[in-house]
Amino acid sequence: MRLYREFGIDSVAEQYAVVRALFLRLIGLVYALAFASLWVQVEGLVGSGGILPFEVLLDGIRARTGEAAWRTLPTLCWIDTSDQVLYLLCAVGFAAGLLAIFGAAPAIVLFIAWICYLSLTVAGQDFFSFQWDILLLEAGFLAWLWSPWTLLPRWVWHDPPRVVLWLLRILLFRLMFSSGLVKWLSGDATWREMTALMYHYQTQPLPAWTSWFAHQMPDELQVLCVGVMFA
């Protein structure tokens, strides 16, 4: 609150406007990083010579559902099934993310980024079945609904839509609560005994470079970390 006052931001509407501007820019950063990461992998994963070619998936769905195929799998990849369309989606999504970072036409560019990521998620099959992909789609869609309809980068000081704000709060609560609940109800004794992190870092599917160091922490600290996570 004191930081707000130092910048002359007094009303609740102005405070929400600042938070919204930062949130939308950070969503743009996440989109840009996601598309940049996918750009160098997408052909090998789901391209024509990849592990799970998306063209095979689309042909199979089209053969079974006919004209309803696009409703079954909503993706722009129906327009073209070449590898170039995958790169194009990554490039457009990356550019949209960069524009969102700078606050340019947020409602337009965040919708474009969301459409591109949805299209790639559908085409990505097993490689896009992780929690964070669905989370980005949900958060990205709400970010679009929360975006001001402006073209040039500028602060918008009117009160943002409260309905979308509450939807974002519900999404955050659901993410945090269900992430803890699913561990507790999994039947895995290590979660209930608070020892799961003694094994997690050496068995996680996508380890970071810091995982080795985290695995070396004392057992007492690992137990404490699980307790903090549940709390």
Side-chain angles (χ1 to χ4, degrees):
M1 293 297 294
R2 194 171 78 180
L3 181 62
Y4 281 133
R5 295 192 188 97
E6 289 178 358
F7 285 93
I9 301 171
D10 298 318
S11 71
V12 174
E14 289 177 336
Q15 293 171 16
Y16 276 131
V18 171
V19 172
R20 176 174 66 174
L22 294 175
F23 173 74
L24 297 180
R25 284 163 171 77
L26 290 174
I27 283 288
L29 175 62
V30 174
Y31 269 130
L33 293 174
F35 284 115
S37 174
L38 184 59
W39 203 334
V40 298
Q41 304 177 67
V42 67
E43 184 177 358
L45 295 177
V46 296
S48 57
I51 300 171
L52 291 175
F54 81 98
E55 184 178 3
V56 175
L57 171 69
L58 299 188
D59 288 343
I61 294 297
R62 185 186 289 114
R64 289 197 299 271
T65 62
E67 295 182 357
W70 68 272
R71 292 197 298 271
T72 304
L73 293 179
T75 174
L76 295 176
C77 293
W78 289 113
I79 299 173
D80 186 0
T81 57
S82 67
D83 293 345
Q84 283 68 35
V85 74
L86 298 174
Y87 287 120
L88 180 62
L89 288 171
C90 290
V92 172
F94 177 73
L98 287 182
L99 289 173
I101 293 173
F102 293 103
I108 296 174
V109 299
L110 285 175
F111 182 72
I112 292 174
W114 182 81
I115 286 291
C116 290
Y117 202 78
L118 174 64
S119 297
L120 289 168
T121 299
V122 171
Q125 304 164 76
D126 293 350
F127 301 110
F128 280 79
S129 61
F130 295 97
Q131 183 187 39
W132 47 79
D133 296 308
I134 302 301
L135 177 61
L136 181 53
L137 286 173
E138 289 190 71
F141 186 77
L142 292 179
W144 167 62
L145 292 179
W146 212 29
S147 300
W149 286 88
T150 58
L151 292 179
L152 299 177
R154 66 184 182 90
W155 293 99
V156 178
W157 295 111
H158 62 73
D159 197 359
R162 294 299 182 91
V163 173
V164 182
L165 176 62
W166 276 104
L167 288 174
L168 284 165
R169 287 170 173 165
I170 292 171
L171 174 61
L172 177 60
F173 171 79
R174 181 162 54 86
L175 169 68
M176 300 303 293
F177 184 76
S178 61
S179 293
L181 188 64
V182 71
K183 294 176 176 63
W184 189 260
L185 299 179
S186 66
D188 187 339
T190 61
W191 286 116
R192 300 199 176 202
E193 294 170 359
M194 304 293 185
T195 59
L197 289 184
M198 297 178 187
Y199 315 100
H200 169 71
Y201 298 110
Q202 62 179 346
T203 60
Q204 62 186 133
L206 297 173
W209 66 270
T210 54
S211 295
W212 186 89
F213 299 98
H215 182 66
Q216 311 307 314
M217 293 191 301
D219 291 348
E220 294 78 10
L221 185 56
Q222 304 283 21
V223 171
L224 177 62
C225 288
V226 175
V228 170
M229 180 278 301
F230 275 126

